[in-house]
Amino acid sequence: MKKILTSILALLLFSVAAFAQRGLNCYPVFRGRVVPERQMVVTEVRGSSVAAYKLDYYKGISFLVEEDLAARVASLIEEDVAAADVRETEKTGLLLTYALIQPKTKGRIHRYLCYQARPVDGQWKVTILYLEGSATLADLRGMFEKQ
């Protein structure tokens, strides 16, 4: 019985994580509907591994794409930027190359979306992070400066 309850609890936690980015315009990117999942490197962490950073959940995706697909992804991120409570952005020409945004919070949980695109050998390396937790923007900036 204990194993069944543990399995059900684990399934519920993973299903919540699968929809954490829901409500964001870039949600289809995380789901592999814009860039095929086989082209993405996906990292998903929760619990004690990210607790030291005041985070409860971390999901990162990165991929290498042609400029037209990078522009499509950037346009989805720009929609999230426009709807965000807090935003920092940079562009190279017309292409969004950096964004750190704080979408509307869910209760006491802060949500953040970090985006970076940079040219690599004629293509674009795109990295998108989705973070949830009690970390503030100042905490995130401190983490990113160390890296």
Side-chain angles (χ1 to χ4, degrees), residues 2-3 7 16 23 25 31 34 41 46 54 62 68 71-72 74 77 81 86 100 110 114 122 132:
K2 200 174 194 179
K3 287 182 182 181
S7 297
V16 169
N25 291 295
R31 300 292 294 161
V34 177
V41 174
R46 69 172 56 258
K54 299 181 186 177
S62 63
D68 59 335
R72 183 172 169 210
I77 298 292
V81 167
V86 178
L100 173 58
H110 298 283
C114 309
E132 282 185 359

Side-chain angles (χ1 to χ4, degrees), residues 106-119:
K106 291 181 175 179
R108 293 181 154 181
I109 301 297
H110 298 283
R111 302 183 319 147
Y112 300 98
L113 188 66
C114 309
Y115 164 86
Q116 182 182 40
R118 57 186 172 85

Side-chain angles (χ1 to χ4, degrees), residues 34-85:
V34 177
V35 176
E37 285 187 60
R38 68 182 179 280
Q39 285 182 242
M40 289 193 262
V41 174
V42 179
T43 306
E44 195 167 6
V45 184
R46 69 172 56 258
S48 61
S49 298
V50 290
Y53 303 103
K54 299 181 186 177
L55 296 173
D56 300 319
Y57 179 68
Y58 166 102
K59 183 166 187 178
I61 59 173
S62 63
F63 45 86
L64 198 59
V65 292
E66 299 295 325
E67 187 172 358
D68 59 335
L69 194 48
R72 183 172 169 210
V73 171
S75 70
L76 294 170
I77 298 292
E78 286 185 284
E79 290 177 30
D80 290 322
V81 167
D85 287 342

